Amino acid sequence: MSDVDAALREPWVRYDEQCRAARFGMWIFIASEVLFFGAFFCGFTYLHAMHAVAFATGSRHTGLPYGLANTLILLTSSLTMSLASRAARGDLRRLALIFLGATLLLGCAFLIVKGFEYKDDFDKGLWPGPNFALPLAATRLFLAGYWVITIIHVVHLTSGIGLVGRLTFAIKTGRLPLASPQFEVAALYWTLVDIVWVLLFPIIYLGGRS
Amino acid sequence: MTIDRRKEEVLATFRRGAVLDGAVWIVLILLVLAALVAAKTMGTIGFVTAIVAAVVEAALLALLFMRLREAGALVRLAAVLGFALLAAMFALSLADLLTRR
């Protein structure tokens, strides 16, 4: 049985149709995610315009080195995911597994850096609770948005790590052929999570820095 | 075509793609650093520049790493639909704020 035959699943009778359906379905999901995160960006933009000084103050207190490190980590993980996808297309199994492994490691590195950042934020009193450290009331709005959206992003990234981890395991053990459209779907999801972070980086970390 | 020759061609295709991806990655990193410098040195204009740089990065990621550039019409339509609805959401939500005197 060829790789393509092994990748074919019901109800599809042709491999190219299956791939096209998986790609289209994933892009519909991505469009829904754009609106999900878009609602946050829209609300945050509105509040930023209403409380510009407080938002700049809040932004200045976020951990820029952590944010920058995580941006570089995620951009590199998108590169490794894209390379894994290219290797899979060429049926280069060893290279695909190496780049998938690198993507997983970079995803875990992001979570570790984020963990250190959250600890720092708690130590500095940036949780908008009873012992909140910043004087302006509206900085609570900024920090509330920061916690909500970064936690949602972490949940997405953790799902991505699970997805890529499962894919890596299935390919390594021979349960899934490299030709499976699951590969492309996972790569699309991973890059989407990176795009969300790339857009969050200036909004969260770069306001009020000059 | 012999198996070795086919393997060489596959590797050459992978290498060409990897060089393109590497070049895109370098541009993305430079954009992040440019955004950082702009935000730290240019005040409000720098902050706006940083947001524009982030949008360019997102577009590069979508077009090249998510292969939207090579995608068919249906996939492009789904992508455009998402962003068109997002634009409508922004326009309707911010219409009041942007037209206040």
Side-chain angles (χ1 to χ4, degrees):
Chain A
M1 191 193 287
S2 74
D3 240 21
V4 167
D5 290 336
L8 197 61
R9 295 282 186 272
E10 284 184 9
W12 309 106
V13 288
R14 277 177 41 200
Y15 172 72
D16 61 329
E17 277 182 359
Q18 180 184 337
C19 286
R20 213 178 307 143
R23 194 178 302 130
F24 180 59
M26 192 57 199
W27 272 100
I28 292 287
F29 171 74
I30 289 170
S32 76
E33 286 281 275
V34 165
L35 291 175
F36 174 77
F37 283 103
F40 169 82
F41 282 110
C42 194
F44 209 70
T45 306
Y46 197 97
L47 290 171
H48 191 284
M50 302 292 284
H51 307 283
V53 175
F55 269 52
T57 308
S59 191
R60 230 181 356 260
H61 284 81
T62 54
L64 180 57
Y66 295 115
L68 181 63
N70 269 344
T71 306
L72 300 181
I73 286 170
L74 269 198
L75 284 176
T76 309
S77 78
S78 276
L79 170 71
T80 55
M81 194 68 209
S82 178
L83 291 173
S85 178
R86 284 188 193 281
R89 265 199 216 176
D91 205 23
L92 303 166
R93 193 180 136 81
R94 202 170 146 264
L95 272 179
L97 283 171
I98 288 172
F99 286 122
L100 280 176
T103 307
L104 278 175
L105 284 178
L106 288 164
C108 292
F110 179 97
L111 292 183
I112 291 167
V113 173
K114 200 78 207 146
F116 281 115
E117 183 182 1
Y118 281 159
K119 189 195 170 295
D120 245 22
D121 292 339
F122 274 116
D123 291 348
K124 286 193 285 186
L126 295 183
W127 177 264
N131 300 316
F132 188 61
L134 303 181
L136 288 170
T139 50
R140 283 173 185 270
L141 283 175
F142 174 85
L143 267 305
Y146 160 78
W147 284 98
V148 168
I149 199 64
T150 55
I151 289 172
I152 289 174
H153 182 266
V154 162
V155 170
H156 273 74
L157 187 72
T158 309
S159 309
I161 291 173
L163 203 65
V164 175
R166 182 197 153 275
L167 191 68
T168 311
F169 181 74
I171 288 170
K172 198 168 169 51
T173 53
R175 288 182 198 173
L176 199 70
L178 280 176
S180 170
Q182 289 183 35
F183 213 107
E184 186 178 350
V185 165
L188 284 172
Y189 181 80
W190 191 272
T191 314
L192 168 73
V193 174
D194 184 15
I195 286 179
V196 171
W197 183 260
V198 154
L199 293 170
L200 284 176
F201 174 63
I203 291 169
I204 289 176
Y205 296 96
L206 296 184
R209 290 285 174 183
S210 63
Chain B
M1 191 188 292
T2 63
I3 292 174
D4 279 350
R5 181 142 174 74
R6 157 123 184 78
K7 211 169 181 179
E8 267 173 33
E9 274 185 19
V10 166
L11 274 172
T13 308
F14 174 79
R15 272 192 217 107
R16 274 197 300 276
V19 167
L20 173 69
D21 285 355
V24 173
W25 179 77
I26 290 170
V27 171
L28 290 168
I29 299 293
L30 290 176
L31 278 169
V32 170
L33 297 179
L36 182 69
V37 172
K40 278 197 160 248
T41 57
M42 293 164 63
T44 309
I45 293 174
F47 180 57
V48 174
T49 308
I51 289 174
V52 171
V55 171
V56 173
E57 287 162 41
L60 283 174
L61 284 165
L63 286 170
L64 298 164
F65 282 1
M66 292 172 94
R67 321 263 189 256
L68 200 53
R69 199 176 57 141
E70 308 159 20
L74 200 58
V75 164
R76 286 185 189 191
L77 188 68
V80 168
L81 188 71
F83 289 102
L85 289 171
L86 181 70
M89 187 201 294
F90 264 84
L92 294 173
S93 306
L94 303 180
D96 159 57
L97 192 73
L98 296 173
T99 53
R100 278 185 198 174
R101 292 188 180 182

